[in-house]
């Protein structure tokens, strides 16, 4: 959710810095599907993929050959950052942009899988996996270290065994039957 900001300095064909503005720069970040792929996780989790797979940034012309650019991708992971002038890539473009997840947001975190999500048997352990997520639904690695669980029913349990990717295995044992 934090914008990636940078400065573009316009130069002529000989590499001399331009002293006037007016160039038409564009900035676009496109999520790079890879391994592991957050986008594939969105689809596997039966959640609507975010609309921010491609994000168009903004460019402010300072009028002196300097341009202030900003782009804000929401999907954590690697993005190709294309910087173009009049539709042509500038030298080195596209660049690699790494987007980190933001802070854990409790109501965006999810109980993802495990037989303990749907049913349990008295005096038998049941498990489920909880994933800590940020505002945009990205898993937050290390967020599982701050996870506590409280069971709203008659059961004993705990959330331990972090996977290191923002997910943790929760185990509980119901002590009475009911819902």
């Amino acid at each position: 959710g934090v914008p990636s900001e940078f400065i573009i300095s316009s130069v002529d064909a000989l590499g001399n810095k331009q002293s006037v503005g007016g160039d038409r720069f564009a900035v676009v970040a496109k999520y790079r599907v890879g391994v592991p792929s957050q986008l594939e996780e969105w689809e596997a989790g039966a959640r609507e993929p975010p609309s921010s797979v491609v994000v168009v940034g903004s460019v402010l012309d300072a009028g002196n050959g300097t341009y202030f650019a900003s782009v804000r991708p929401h999907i954590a992971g690697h993005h190709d950052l294309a910087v173009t002038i009049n539709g042509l890539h500038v030298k080195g473009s596209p660049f690699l942009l790494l987007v980190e997840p933001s802070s854990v947001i409790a109501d965006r975190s999810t109980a993802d899988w495990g037989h303990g999500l749907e049913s349990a048997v008295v005096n038998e352990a049941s498990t489920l996996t909880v994933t800590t997520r940020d505002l945009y639904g990205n898993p937050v690695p290390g967020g599982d270290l701050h996870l506590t669980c409280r069971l709203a029913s008659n059961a004993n349990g705990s959330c331990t065994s972090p996977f290191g990717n923002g997910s943790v295995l929760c185990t509980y044992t119901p002590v009475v039957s009911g819902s």
Side-chain angles (χ1 to χ4, degrees):
V2 176
S4 180
E5 300 173 330
F6 53 97
I7 296 173
I8 301 169
S9 295
S10 184
V11 296
D12 64 18
L14 299 175
N16 299 310
K17 184 171 175 8
Q18 298 284 16
S19 59
V20 296
D23 291 320
R24 293 180 26 167
F25 284 98
V27 176
V28 177
K30 181 178 180 186
Y31 181 75
R32 182 187 288 184
V33 176
V35 179
S37 169
Q38 297 288 71
L39 194 56
E40 290 167 5
E41 183 185 319
W42 283 96
E43 293 163 355
R47 289 187 302 280
E48 190 72 26
S51 60
S52 56
V53 174
V54 175
V55 177
V56 177
S58 63
V59 179
L60 176 66
D61 185 348
N64 62 2
T66 301
Y67 300 80
F68 299 96
S70 176
V71 64
R72 185 190 302 216
H74 295 163
I75 303 173
H78 293 94
H79 297 254
D80 289 319
L81 178 61
V83 179
T84 59
I85 180 169
N86 299 322
L88 301 173
H89 284 277
V90 301
K91 185 178 181 181
S93 176
F95 303 96
L96 178 63
L97 175 64
L98 176 61
V99 175
E100 300 285 343
S102 57
S103 305
V104 173
I105 303 293
D107 65 355
R108 299 289 179 149
S109 297
T110 56
D112 298 316
W113 54 271
H115 66 275
L117 282 173
E118 297 180 16
S119 64
V121 176
V122 173
N123 295 323
E124 290 184 19
S126 293
T127 60
L128 59 108
T129 299
V130 174
T131 302
T132 58
R133 299 186 182 276
D134 69 6
L135 179 64
Y136 304 105
N138 295 299
V140 180
D144 49 346
L145 300 175
H146 307 288
L147 183 69
T148 59
C149 67
R150 182 179 37 177
L151 302 168
S153 64
N154 291 320
N156 298 317
S158 65
C159 290
T160 57
S161 305
F163 296 112
N165 63 355
S167 296
V168 64
L169 180 66
C170 298
T171 304
Y172 68 96
T173 304
V175 292
V176 296
S177 64
S179 54

